[in-house]
DNA sequence: CTAATAACAGTAATCGTTACTATTATTCAA
DNA sequence: TTGAATAATAGTAACGATTACTGTTATTAG
């Protein structure tokens, strides 16, 4: 059904060996120098392929390009509207969200999917009095 | 600073007198028949203006056009990934989210903004065994 | 009434993403 | 090992949502 390709492997590697949450554009520019023939279509096609296979998570950020996460463990994200940083929510924070999801389901009958969840607000650094402390 | 315009008033009215969550395109097509000169730029400019003024809420849905909500009371939303419906979360469900936001802040120091929140998952109708029950 | 300017309509441009097409690479069975 | 079948590619064109630009119209304040 699906065939091996060097490009797909490189694209996956670029995500798994990376703690940030790259955009398709970042992946493209990251791999382009060593692979001058790489095309943007290939990057998008493979990212979507990997998302479908569950190897990669897609994170939607309003008004910006989608971000992709190659971390295997289930976790959620928080985005600061002020400084734009995307923060991983693991451990206790992740548990808190899962607890909420259960209570929310029992109350409303709505089965929310915590995977791919991106909460939005203001991070600790940006909540301080001093403005501009979050370049 | 800002001047009155008939178009802005109409656009606001189209949202407040409406329980669904229209897109810019919907607003445009809704008003166009009675206002043949209306332009899309005017719709977007005014929607963004109203959002900045806090009279209207913008709801981002991954991969789709933004939706706008003219309901005055603070509430959140749930989107079913299967049938696409956008459900208002008020009363108990809204309280549950606000409770969660407080606990989450205390735990992580992250100040999430419940306004504009769109949780994603599967609605009750789509969670049933029978497939296709949610046209 | 008039000058200043916010808002407009119409159109072009932008951005992220997907679709198309001809070519290349992988696979699997003879 | 060869070769047909076809997945995946590179390159480019198209797409949809949104914003930016430009010359004109409408509102406002003196």
């Amino acid at each position: 059904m699906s065939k091996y390709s060097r490009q797909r492997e490189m694209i996956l590697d670029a995500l798994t060996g990376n703690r940030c949450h790259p955009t398709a554009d970042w992946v493209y520019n990251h791999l382009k120098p060593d692979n001058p023939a790489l095309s943007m279509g290939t990057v998008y096609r493979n990212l979507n392929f990997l998302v479908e296979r569950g190897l990669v998570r897609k994170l939607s950020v309003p008004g910006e390009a989608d971000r992709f996460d190659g971390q295997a463990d289930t976790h959620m994200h928080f985005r600061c509207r002020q400084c734009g940083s995307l923060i991983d929510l693991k451990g206790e924070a992740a548990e808190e969200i899962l607890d909420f999801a259960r209570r929310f389901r029992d109350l409303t009958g709505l089965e929310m999917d915590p995977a791919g969840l991106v909460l939005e607000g203001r991070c600790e650094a940006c909540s301080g009095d001093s403005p501009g402390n979050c370049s």
Side-chain angles (χ1 to χ4, degrees), chain A:
Chain A
M1 192 112 270
S2 78
K3 291 180 182 174
Y4 169 86
S5 91
R6 196 176 48 82
Q7 290 89 335
R8 179 172 296 163
E9 189 172 43
M10 291 190 324
I11 289 166
L12 180 56
D13 286 350
L15 290 183
T16 51
N18 203 309
R19 259 191 158 40
C20 75
H21 307 88
T23 59
D25 193 63
W26 185 95
V27 172
Y28 176 76
N29 289 123
H30 181 69
L31 299 175
K32 188 73 173 173
D34 292 332
N35 308 269
L38 182 66
S39 92
M40 203 63 185
T42 298
V43 173
Y44 273 106
R45 185 163 10 83
N46 281 292
L47 287 172
N48 288 331
F49 176 92
L50 294 168
V51 168
E52 273 168 29
R53 292 299 172 98
L55 294 165
V56 162
R57 206 74 48 72
K58 184 189 284 196
L59 307 175
S60 295
V61 181
E64 294 185 12
D66 290 341
R67 296 183 165 271
F68 296 87
D69 189 331
Q71 301 284 110
D73 60 328
T74 307
H75 64 284
M76 303 90 194
H77 297 85
F78 182 92
R79 177 181 146 79
C80 177
R81 289 215 181 100
Q82 191 155 326
C83 68
S85 67
L86 200 54
I87 300 163
D88 284 319
L89 301 173
K90 305 187 176 187
E92 276 189 298
E95 285 305 323
E96 191 67 48
I97 292 172
L98 294 174
D99 282 354
F100 162 74
R102 277 187 284 272
R103 281 195 304 278
F104 183 77
R105 162 170 44 72
D106 293 344
L107 182 64
T108 63
L110 301 169
E111 193 82 44
M112 71 167 268
D113 179 14
L117 178 66
V118 182
L119 297 175
E120 302 221 346
R122 203 176 282 198
C123 75
E124 210 155 5
C126 289
S127 291
D129 289 319
S130 55
N133 56 353
C134 211
S135 64

